[in-house]
Amino acid sequence: MPAGTLYRGREGMWSWVAHRVTGVLIFFFLFVHVLDTALVRVSPEAYDDVVATYKTWPVAFLEYGLVAAILFHALNGLRIIAVDFWAKGPRLQKQMLWTVVGIWIVLMVGALYPILGHAVREIFGS
């Protein structure tokens, strides 16, 4: 176990941390999303400028990170429900975590082209 950690847990601790971090990141995204959507009522021109910023390649990478956070949070949330409400859940929680990570990786690889294809073409040319 790594030295310097407060909790000496293993996979369970890191999934707990990742679940909290992804939840906070999703919350901040939703907060910004509500603010930028409300901007359309204040100044449609400013809203158009913000939306134009969202179409740039750096934001595409942030969008990929958002998808990663949402997918992990959702899949891990289902695992937590299974651990809490399934009789065999606590005994199989480690295997379920690695299953969640495997499914998450497969889905993230599948999301590479749809989300980052435009950004790669913008950076390197068509």
Side-chain angles (χ1 to χ4, degrees), residues 27-40:
F27 170 79
F28 281 121
F29 162 76
L30 290 173
F31 181 71
V32 170
H33 179 64
V34 168
L35 287 179
D36 71 10
T37 303
L39 188 61
V40 77

Side-chain angles (χ1 to χ4, degrees), residues 74-101:
L75 293 170
N76 194 49
L78 293 173
R79 182 188 72 85
I80 290 169
I81 290 169
V83 168
D84 287 346
F85 293 108
W86 184 33
K88 295 180 184 179
R91 187 170 37 93
L92 298 174
Q93 71 91 17
K94 185 190 264 188
Q95 291 86 347
M96 287 190 292
L97 175 62
W98 289 115
T99 302
V100 162
V101 170

Side-chain angles (χ1 to χ4, degrees), residues 54-71 107-123:
Y54 291 160
K55 295 178 182 178
T56 61
W57 67 266
V59 176
F61 286 99
L62 293 173
E63 187 178 36
Y64 188 72
L66 175 65
V67 170
I70 290 170
L71 274 175
L107 291 174
M108 289 309 298
V109 168
L112 269 170
Y113 181 75
I115 296 174
L116 294 179
H118 172 71
V120 170
R121 286 189 300 277
E122 192 175 317
I123 293 170

